């Protein structure tokens, strides 16, 4: 089954697996993992230029033909978020922006009030905002109305690997959204990426799960296969859940029917 | 000479230096007036002057003076 390109605003996303680049120091290991993941869109953060950082990640992604998705990680306010997004657009020549406004350092949970306002302002300024948010279905709808090109609810807090803590909410967000839903944050294992797609998500963003795995390249491949499996599974039409068992073998012709035993 | 704050450090630049000069000095790359690297490729850098983004098209015409605060940013690993 061909997985057709996903439209996010006017952008065509070819692979449903968006990757992050944080959490790994060895750039060649990161490169191997990115290639193995098959990703076509990968996040970067915006920071002050230093002789050490140079532009190595950007050059690498450009060389690999992977589009960049700048994020606003580290922003706490609308003002910082908008400035960071404007700098990213100028530096990287893309309208795509992953809006990430966090409430505090300890939980890294999104501040949805600031996020909503930032989304509205960025949409007005011509950005294509992909918006990191909580798994609250009401907030997801508000973000969509504010101009989010995609909503990105968390499965669990960033870097925890706890998976999808509230699958019901994720399913509800997906069932009502008119824009793509991308599961962002919390994934630790490939099965959780497959689940996200089965619940109705259009794509999955994975960072730490790959970059901090013992074997990032192997985990990248697992994630690619999981997203593909999830797409097949979601399109195949799963059986309804039942209260009690439903035999798949025929009841007729059993050699010792139950009534003979009484 | 004029002293400009670049990424939170004091940097001495010649009088009438522009944003292009500051970016060239910080990144160690020779730049055209359009802000493109002479050696080809993309620069991947953006500039904010006193909290406002300076588009690349205005780098060559934006002069820096004493007390100006410049942020020069690029993409790093993250997210």
């Amino acid at each position: 089954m061909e997985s057709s390109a996903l439209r996010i605003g006017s952008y065509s996303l070819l692979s449903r697996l968006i990757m992050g680049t944080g959490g790994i120091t060895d750039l060649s290991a990161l490169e191997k993992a990115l290639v193995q993941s098959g990703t076509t869109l990968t996040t970067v953060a915006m920071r002050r230029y230093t002789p050490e950082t140079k532009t190595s990640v950007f050059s690498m992604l450009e060389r690999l033909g992977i589009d960049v998705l700048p994020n606003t990680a580290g922003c706490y306010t609308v003002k910082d978020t908008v400035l960071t997004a404007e700098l990213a657009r100028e530096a990287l020549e893309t309208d795509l922006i992953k809006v990430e406004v966090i409430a505090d350092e300890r939980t890294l949970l999104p501040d949805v009030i600031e996020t909503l306002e930032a989304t509205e302002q960025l949409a007005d300024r011509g950005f294509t905002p992909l918006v990191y948010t909580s798994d609250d279905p009401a907030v997801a709808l508000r973000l969509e109305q504010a101009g989010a090109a995609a909503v990105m609810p968390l499965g669990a807090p960033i870097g925890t690997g706890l998976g999808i803590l509230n699958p019901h909410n994720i399913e509800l967000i997906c069932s009502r959204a008119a824009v793509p839903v991308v599961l962002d944050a919390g994934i630790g294992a490939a099965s959780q990426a497959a689940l996200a797609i089965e619940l109705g998500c259009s794509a999955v963003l994975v960072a730490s799960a790959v970059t901090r795995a013992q074997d990032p390249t192997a985990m990248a491949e697992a994630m690619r296969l999981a997203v593909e499996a999830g797409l097949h599974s979601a399109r195949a039409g799963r059986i309804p859940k039942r209260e009690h068992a439903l035999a798949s073998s025929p009841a007729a012709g059993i050699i010792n029917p139950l009534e003979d035993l009484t | 000479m004029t002293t400009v704050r670049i990424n939170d450090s004091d940097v001495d630049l010649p009088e009438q230096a522009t944003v292009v000069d500051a970016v060239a000095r910080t990144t160690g790359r020779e730049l055209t007036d359009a802000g493109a690297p002479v050696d080809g490729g993309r620069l991947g850098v953006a500039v904010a002057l006193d909290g406002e983004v300076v588009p690349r098209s205005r780098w060559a015409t934006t002069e820096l003076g004493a007390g100006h605060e410049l942020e020069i940013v690029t993409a790093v690993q993250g997210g």
Side-chain angles (χ1 to χ4, degrees), chain A residues 20-22 24-25 27 30 43-49 53-55 57-58 62 71 83 86-87 90-93 207, chain B residues 7-8 26-27 29 42-48 51-57 71-79:
Chain A
T21 54
I24 189 166
T25 47
L27 267 188
L30 174 63
T43 67
V44 292
M46 300 306 295
R47 291 294 179 269
R48 282 175 174 161
Y49 185 99
T53 54
K54 292 191 176 164
T55 53
V57 174
F58 180 57
E62 195 172 32
N71 67 27
L83 178 60
E86 290 285 5
L87 286 167
E90 181 67 19
L92 309 178
E93 296 165 42
Chain B
N7 289 353
D8 233 11
T26 303
T27 60
R29 292 175 80 173
R42 288 159 81 188
L43 190 61
V45 160
V47 173
E52 292 288 330
V53 176
V54 184
R56 192 174 308 237
S57 57
E71 294 282 354
I72 300 180
V73 303
T74 189
V76 299
Q77 287 175 252

Side-chain angles (χ1 to χ4, degrees), chain A residues 9 18 29-30 33 42 48 67 113 118 123 130 159 178 182 184 190 201 219 246-248:
Chain A
I18 302 173
L30 174 63
T42 291
R48 282 175 174 161
D67 293 338
I113 311 292
L130 289 78
V182 180
D184 183 7
C201 293
M219 188 59 88
L246 176 65
S248 55

Side-chain angles (χ1 to χ4, degrees), chain A residues 137-183:
Chain A
V139 171
L141 275 185
R142 290 292 301 271
L143 289 170
E144 188 180 319
Q145 289 156 7
V151 291
M152 306 179 79
L154 54 77
I158 292 171
T160 59
L162 291 172
I164 299 174
L165 294 179
N166 195 336
H168 174 75
N169 270 17
I170 298 297
E171 197 166 29
L172 187 53
I173 289 171
C174 295
S175 70
R176 301 198 300 178
V179 296
V181 177
V182 180
L183 199 283

Side-chain angles (χ1 to χ4, degrees), chain A:
Chain A
M1 193 192 312
E2 282 291 306
S3 56
S4 53
L6 176 71
R7 301 288 290 183
I8 298 180
S10 60
Y11 178 80
S12 272
L13 184 67
L14 294 176
S15 162
R16 305 298 184 103
L17 180 59
I18 302 173
M19 292 285 291
T21 54
I24 189 166
T25 47
D26 182 350
L27 267 188
S28 69
L30 174 63
E31 178 171 342
K32 285 196 192 98
L34 291 175
V35 169
Q36 194 56 252
S37 75
T39 188
T40 54
L41 182 68
T42 291
T43 67
V44 292
M46 300 306 295
R47 291 294 179 269
R48 282 175 174 161
Y49 185 99
T50 67
E52 293 75 40
T53 54
K54 292 191 176 164
T55 53
S56 42
V57 174
F58 180 57
S59 315
M60 183 180 79
L61 293 174
E62 195 172 32
R63 181 162 47 76
L64 296 175
I66 298 173
D67 293 338
V68 285
L69 174 59
N71 67 27
T72 64
C75 290
Y76 289 85
T77 63
V78 173
K79 186 166 170 272
D80 286 350
T81 305
V82 171
L83 178 60
T84 302
E86 290 285 5
L87 286 167
R89 175 157 68 178
E90 181 67 19
L92 309 178
E93 296 165 42
T94 176
D95 288 338
L96 297 175
I97 187 76
K98 182 186 163 195
V99 181
E100 198 174 331
V101 195
I102 55 167
D104 67 86
E105 195 72 31
R106 189 170 158 77
T107 66
L108 297 180
L109 288 170
D111 183 325
V112 296
I113 311 292
E114 296 289 313
T115 300
L116 186 64
E117 175 64 28
T119 300
E120 198 159 11
Q121 289 193 21
L122 290 169
D124 283 348
R125 287 167 182 248
F127 284 90
T128 300
L130 289 78
V131 187
Y132 169 61
T133 181
S134 66
D135 60 5
D136 183 328
V139 171
L141 275 185
R142 290 292 301 271
L143 289 170
E144 188 180 319
Q145 289 156 7
V151 291
M152 306 179 79
L154 54 77
I158 292 171
T160 59
L162 291 172
I164 299 174
L165 294 179
N166 195 336
H168 174 75
N169 270 17
I170 298 297
E171 197 166 29
L172 187 53
I173 289 171
C174 295
S175 70
R176 301 198 300 178
V179 296
V181 177
V182 180
L183 199 283
D184 183 7
I187 285 180
S191 52
Q192 296 156 352
L195 175 62
I197 303 287
E198 287 176 330
L199 292 172
C201 293
S202 298
V204 173
L205 191 150
V206 170
S208 308
V210 166
T211 60
R212 294 197 164 108
Q214 285 186 25
D215 185 341
T217 309
M219 188 59 88
E221 183 177 23
M223 290 296 176
R224 173 171 58 78
L225 294 170
V227 167
E228 201 180 316
L231 282 170
H232 283 257
S233 174
R235 288 169 184 168
R238 58 152 300 148
I239 58 166
K241 292 176 182 173
R242 298 169 57 93
E243 280 285 301
H244 297 292
L246 176 65
S248 55
S249 303
I254 296 174
I255 52 174
N256 279 316
L258 287 176
E259 53 266 32
D260 289 357
L261 299 174
T262 55

